[in-house]
């Protein structure tokens, strides 16, 4: 079966750095997405990786290793508004998105 | 552009009742999706459509039906509501795939409670 694993919850301090990991086992691979979802709201797109390596976008970076079935989302200079759930999703061989359960990130002052 | 819109925002149903969740997008996207999200869980695909007149089942289609008569609209029908269908329903869309990062755009969601 297809599976995506993320930690359920993480806590970090305002101004710090946090890394959210995602491991996946899917039937085929056509890209990996990270979405942010604030409580009670819809997911919004953060990043996309299809090749191995690091993609940087401001305070957020995402890394992919296809051989290891592994990705991480790195958030720097954490702000209180970064408190949200972070969803990892993999597009499989049928171009369908398989979603992880999400990691709830709690930011403390 | 309004993007992806969904109605209603919240609804309470009694067991056995039926309803239609509305979804519309004004971005001329070919691909549209219906997901449900249970508390603390990831998104589960219910149905999707690659264009007007074409629909396909996703991972959890039982108890639901869809239609896609126009590019803009993709309604989701619940015929006999059950407590297991209590969830948040998201509609999403994206343009025709071109080998790049076809980001899905989500509607605000419909919260459904079946009692």
């Amino acid at each position: 079966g297809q599976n995506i694993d993320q930690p359920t919850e993480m806590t970090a301090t305002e101004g710090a750095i946090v890394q959210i990991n995602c491991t996946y086992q899917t039937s085929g691979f056509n890209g990996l997405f990270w979405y942010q979802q604030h409580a009670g709201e819809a997911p919004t797109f953060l990043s996309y990786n299809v090749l191995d390596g690091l993609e940087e976008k401001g305070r957020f970076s995402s890394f992919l290793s296809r051989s290891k079935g592994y990705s991480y989302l790195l958030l720097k200079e954490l702000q209180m508004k970064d408190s949200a759930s972070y969803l990892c999703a993999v597009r499989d061989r049928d171009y369908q998105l398989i979603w992880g359960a999400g990691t709830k990130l709690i930011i403390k002052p | 552009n309004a993007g992806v819109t969904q109605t209603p925002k919240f609804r309470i149903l009694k067991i056995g009742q039926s309803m239609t969740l509305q979804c519309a997008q004004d971005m001329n996207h070919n691909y549209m999706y219906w997901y449900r999200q249970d508390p603390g869980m990831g998104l589960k695909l219910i149905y999707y459509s690659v264009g007007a007149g074409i629909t396909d089942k996703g991972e959890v289609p039982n108890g639901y039906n869809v239609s896609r008569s126009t590019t803009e609209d993709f309604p989701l029908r619940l015929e006999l509501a059950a407590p297991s269908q209590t969830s948040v329903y998201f509609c999403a869309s994206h343009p025709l795939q071109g080998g790049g990062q076809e980001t899905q755009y989500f509607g605000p969601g419909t919260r459904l409670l079946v009692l």
Side-chain angles (χ1 to χ4, degrees), chain A residues 33 35 37 39-45 47-48 57 87 91 94-102, chain B residues 33 35 37 40-45 48 90 97 99-109 111:
Chain A
F33 295 78
Y35 279 77
Q37 185 177 27
E41 297 182 8
T44 55
F45 170 77
S47 70
Y48 170 76
K57 191 185 290 186
L87 309 178
R91 191 162 57 193
D94 296 323
Y95 268 73
Q96 297 303 323
L97 278 183
I98 310 300
W99 295 82
Chain B
Y33 302 82
Y35 293 98
Q37 186 178 35
M41 303 293 286
L43 296 163
K44 299 290 185 184
L45 182 64
Y48 67 101
F90 288 105
Q97 289 170 174
Q101 56 168 74
E102 288 80 22
T103 306
Q104 292 197 10
Y105 297 85
F106 284 82
R111 281 161 178 73

Side-chain angles (χ1 to χ4, degrees), chain B residues 48-61:
Chain B
Y48 67 101
S49 170
V50 302
I54 306 169
T55 62
D56 262 309
K57 296 179 180 179
E59 184 182 358
V60 289

Side-chain angles (χ1 to χ4, degrees), chain A residues 66-96:
Chain A
R66 289 173 296 171
S67 62
K68 295 182 180 178
Y70 168 71
S71 172
Y72 67 73
L73 180 69
L74 191 71
L75 292 75
K76 303 175 185 175
E77 302 169 15
L78 286 170
Q79 301 174 10
M80 297 304 292
K81 67 178 182 179
D82 297 330
S83 292
S85 287
Y86 292 85
L87 309 178
C88 174
V90 173
R91 191 162 57 193
D92 68 9
R93 67 182 175 203
D94 296 323
Y95 268 73
Q96 297 303 323

